[in-house]
Amino acid sequence: MNISPPSRLGALRPSLPRRAAAEFVGSGLLVTIVVGSGIAAQRLSPDDVGLQLLENSLATALGLSVLILMLGPVSGGHFNPVVSIADWLIGRREGTGLPLRDLPPYVLAQIFGGIAGTLLAGVMFDTAPVFSSHDRATGGHLVGEVVATAGLVLLIFALARTGTASATAAAVGAYIGAAYWFTSSTSFANPAVTIARMFTDTFAGIAPGSVVPFVVAQVVGAALGLALLLVFYPTATRAADRVVVPQHLETQP
């Protein structure tokens, strides 16, 4: 699905407050799905960690796909600071992608939306917010985050470049669901989600001391994903305005 750049005559992106609100709600609901399904899995299958991970990964994969379809036409459906930063970075010379002035509102909305999502999951499951004690910052976990984030960034931007953005929701959901299993870190691949999951001491939590190493690994993974993208698709900068999905353009009256 190809849509002309938002700067075309007579067409506008949704306003920044609307897009930031979509990123806040989308990131919040994503974390609610991750944390809420983790709590439910822990309670429903208390003696089977493998089954807990299966339940958590299926809910996350399906929920993420739905959120991209629901809110992507408003904000692009980033829900992830590394995706927003990569979108600005790769599209800055062509004038495509996320403008620099929009980057801070997107990132802040994603982070605070994610935290709100953790709190919402806690309210629904009667779990008080508390810092997680789940230490994840081992060498293997950090390599897993590099791999997970690199693959996610490469996938999203490759789909935009090849004009197959209509498949992005399903593809991204499928990738994250699979990466729960093939990466040692269970594929956080998102700094906002990582920060938010610090506030729950449940199955989905991550200890505060592991957050910074995870975020650093995710940034490294995003850089690697962009490098691979430019090797495979040298003209990918032209499609930055279609990441994650094309925004719905509004015609001027």
Side-chain angles (χ1 to χ4, degrees):
M1 179 169 63
N2 291 314
I3 293 182
S4 300
S7 58
R8 73 185 185 191
L9 183 63
L12 298 171
R13 298 182 185 206
S15 67
L16 179 57
R18 285 176 58 196
R19 287 184 282 129
E23 287 295 302
F24 179 91
V25 171
S27 300
L29 289 177
L30 173 59
V31 175
T32 300
I33 291 166
V34 173
V35 174
S37 64
I39 296 171
Q42 198 171 28
R43 294 179 179 179
L44 293 170
S45 310
D47 301 318
D48 192 334
V49 177
L51 184 56
Q52 291 174 16
L53 186 61
L54 178 61
E55 293 160 348
N56 191 209
S57 63
L58 282 175
T60 301
L62 295 173
L64 178 55
S65 297
V66 170
L67 290 174
I68 291 173
L69 289 172
M70 180 169 62
L71 296 172
V74 180
S75 67
H78 294 190
F79 312 145
N80 188 333
V82 296
V83 173
S84 297
I85 293 169
D87 191 30
W88 161 72
L89 185 64
I90 199 170
R92 70 192 192 283
R93 290 186 178 178
E94 297 278 349
T96 57
L98 191 68
L100 179 59
R101 66 180 180 276
D102 294 355
L103 185 58
Y106 263 58
V107 172
L108 289 174
Q110 291 155 359
I111 292 173
F112 286 105
I115 294 171
T118 298
L119 299 178
L120 176 59
V123 169
M124 290 194 296
F125 286 92
D126 296 315
T127 301
V130 62
F131 285 126
S132 175
S133 59
H134 194 168
D135 185 13
R136 299 176 183 262
T138 67
H141 285 117
L142 298 180
V143 172
E145 279 302 286
V146 172
V147 171
T149 311
L152 178 64
V153 169
L154 177 58
L155 171 65
I156 288 171
F157 284 85
L159 288 172
R161 176 62 190 92
T162 56
T164 52
S166 58
T168 297
V172 171
Y175 175 82
I176 291 297
Y180 259 80
W181 292 89
F182 74 74
T183 65
S184 56
S185 64
T186 66
S187 183
F188 284 44
N190 185 330
V193 170
T194 304
I195 293 169
R197 288 169 67 170
M198 174 176 65
F199 296 98
T200 177
D201 195 19
T202 62
F203 179 79
I206 179 172
S210 299
V211 169
V212 171
F214 259 54
V215 171
V216 171
Q218 290 157 3
V219 171
V220 171
L224 176 60
L226 282 182
L228 291 172
L229 175 76
L230 294 176
V231 169
F232 300 141
Y233 301 99
T235 59
T237 57
R238 301 173 186 173
D241 59 318
R242 297 195 292 271
V243 173
V244 171
V245 296
Q247 295 170 37
H248 174 69
L249 300 182
E250 299 176 341
T251 304
Q252 290 179 330

